[in-house]
DNA sequence: TATCTAATTAGATATTTATCTAATTTTATG
DNA sequence: CATAAAATTAGATAAATATCTAATTAGATA
């Protein structure tokens, strides 16, 4: 099973005290290999070794400046993987959805189960398809062509959910919106993330 | 560092495909050792081995009936550990709290930062102390001596947060309330979880 | 070009660990 | 008490992996 390996690899990446300490150090900000080696009292090759594993699991990113490589946390993926894993293990994907409906489309069921009567988003779906449906539902209330400041957008999102930062990021990530010079604007619908047959 | 080992062990427990498959099977409901061995095509000792690791990490529970041992997921701890780990790595504990205040008590800052103006709980604090403060804040609005049905209690909690199930469980777990015959009631304040000097 | 620094790659070693078979323990039952 | 069924424990083995030193590569600069 594909999904399973991915999740196991995520946990393998975190199943080592040295790598955990690296992430901990990086939570303060980026660091280069040498600095990490020193802080951890390890050789540089050892740091390279662990960095490779963390990179494979998409938990860190790297940038090169001259001949020094700076490592940084990738908090978005750390969070995504943590949620996906929890979901996978406990099948909590369905916990809001009491039972998988048969006579209604996925979209209807997401709208019914993840949004409260007052229209607020109960929780961000962790399953990919469902998340996209929820995002799209919100994004459809934005005005095409209008330029939103970050503040505007945050306020808009807060109507639905407190965690505006995550949702704003998702809007960009899935190409519902784009940002230029700190101004956010809707993408044309054709560019919105397409996913397989969500009827 | 103590915390670190605990979190690493949690991930070690999940960093193996066999154990992941066990949890997956258990997400459907409890199973005994033989059944697991058969489903996984492994010997019974191997199952025992993995079960021990999962138990050490508090991810499963076991009950014995006659001479067969039934394993079951411990979804509460799975979730707790996932959140604690995420928190630990990304230091998200402070993410709602923009900066650690100096001139106000922890309690004031939790109330200010985790509760919205309308009184709702933005998110359940993941840090232990802060979580207790938030729980206590809510629990103080319950009537001493009143007997709450589960429905009553859910409604009460939903005033604050959608995830009433988790919060209800926390109320019990930290001895703010107790349940008897499906009726919930406040514990006297003296029994509420005491924590170190949260002034 | 020669040299210096940071990083990676290669290769070796020791530790951890997933799995098995065989033996033992636990609990129930004829 | 003898037998049976399920589980655990003991011990062995093979695979995975964390770490090191030595050698190499990448990039910058004198």
């Amino acid at each position: 099973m594909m999904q399973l390996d991915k999740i196991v690899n995520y946990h393998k990446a975190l199943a080592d005290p040295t790598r955990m300490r690296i992430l901990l150090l990086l939570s303060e900000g980026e660091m280069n290999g040498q600095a990490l080696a020193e802080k951890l009292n390890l050789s540089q090759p050892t740091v390279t070794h662990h960095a490779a594993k963390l990179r494979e699991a998409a938990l860190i990113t790297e940038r090169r400046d001259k001949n020094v490589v700076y490592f940084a946390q990738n908090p978005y993926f750390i969070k995504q993987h943590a949620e996906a894993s929890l979901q996978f293990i406990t099948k909590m994907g369905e916990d809001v959805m009491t039972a998988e409906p048969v006579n209604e489309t996925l979209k209807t069921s997401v709208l019914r189960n993840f949004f409260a009567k007052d229209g607020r988003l109960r929780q961000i779906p962790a399953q990919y398809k469902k998340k996209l449906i929820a995002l799209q539902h919100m994004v459809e209330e934005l005005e095409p062509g209008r330029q939103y400041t970050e503040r505007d957008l945050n306020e808009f999102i807060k109507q639905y959910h407190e965690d505006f930062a995550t949702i704003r990021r998702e809007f960009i990530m899935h190409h519902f919106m784009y940002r230029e010079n700190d101004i956010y604007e809707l993408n044309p619908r054709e560019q919105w993330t397409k996913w397989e047959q969500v009827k």
Side-chain angles (χ1 to χ4, degrees), chain A:
Chain A
M1 189 187 285
M2 202 50 229
Q3 182 82 347
L4 188 141
D5 282 341
K6 215 167 120 190
I7 291 174
V8 168
N9 283 336
Y10 159 74
H11 288 289
K12 274 192 186 172
L14 297 176
D16 178 274
T18 300
R19 285 194 287 275
M20 196 56 79
R21 291 175 64 207
I22 289 175
L23 286 174
L24 212 50
L25 286 169
L26 296 183
S27 73
E28 315 271 333
E30 61 178 19
M31 280 181 93
N32 65 357
Q34 297 236 109
L36 282 172
E38 194 167 332
K39 277 272 187 193
L40 297 167
N41 248 310
L42 293 172
S43 69
Q44 216 178 16
T46 302
V47 170
T48 299
H49 168 77
H50 289 298
K53 300 225 158 183
L54 289 170
R55 183 172 7 87
E56 279 162 29
L59 302 182
I60 62 170
T61 58
E62 304 177 8
R63 80 180 170 87
R64 177 159 214 137
D65 182 30
K66 316 255 166 166
N67 56 353
V68 15
V69 174
Y70 294 91
F71 302 93
Q73 269 201 3
N74 190 346
Y76 178 75
F77 275 97
I78 294 174
K79 194 174 169 197
Q80 289 300 300
H81 286 146
E83 281 171 4
S85 161
L86 184 57
Q87 242 241 313
F88 181 74
I89 299 168
T90 60
K91 299 240 177 116
M92 300 260 293
E94 317 307 328
D95 75 347
V96 175
M97 334 270 290
T98 41
E100 197 62 35
V102 270
N103 274 324
E104 66 185 345
T105 63
L106 182 58
K107 178 167 178 179
T108 319
S109 105
V110 168
L111 297 186
R112 197 165 53 73
N113 287 293
F114 280 92
F115 288 89
K117 323 96 233 147
D118 62 5
R120 286 180 61 82
L121 181 62
R122 289 182 209 276
Q123 64 177 245
I124 304 172
Q127 280 184 227
Y128 186 69
K129 279 188 185 179
K130 293 174 185 169
K131 183 167 68 182
L132 286 181
I133 291 169
L135 291 172
Q136 177 168 342
H137 175 68
M138 291 184 282
V139 117
E140 276 167 346
E141 298 304 316
L142 289 166
E143 301 170 31
R146 170 166 167 195
Q147 304 200 319
Y148 291 86
T149 64
E150 186 161 307
R151 248 190 96 84
D152 291 341
L153 190 55
N154 291 347
E155 285 309 313
F156 171 82
I157 297 170
K158 273 199 270 188
Q159 296 180 301
Y160 292 96
H161 197 278
E162 289 296 335
D163 190 357
F164 55 84
T166 295
I167 294 175
R168 201 186 55 224
R169 215 178 296 121
E170 300 270 8
F171 280 175
I172 302 299
M173 184 144 304
H174 298 297
H175 305 106
F176 290 114
M177 303 189 83
Y178 68 96
R179 175 176 51 186
E180 203 170 306
N181 303 323
D182 296 322
I183 295 296
Y184 293 79
E185 196 176 327
L186 268 187
N187 266 321
R189 289 183 79 95
E190 308 81 68
Q191 291 187 35
W192 293 1
T193 306
K194 299 151 183 67
W195 65 96
E196 323 75 273
Q197 62 285 3
V198 173
K199 296 148 293 243

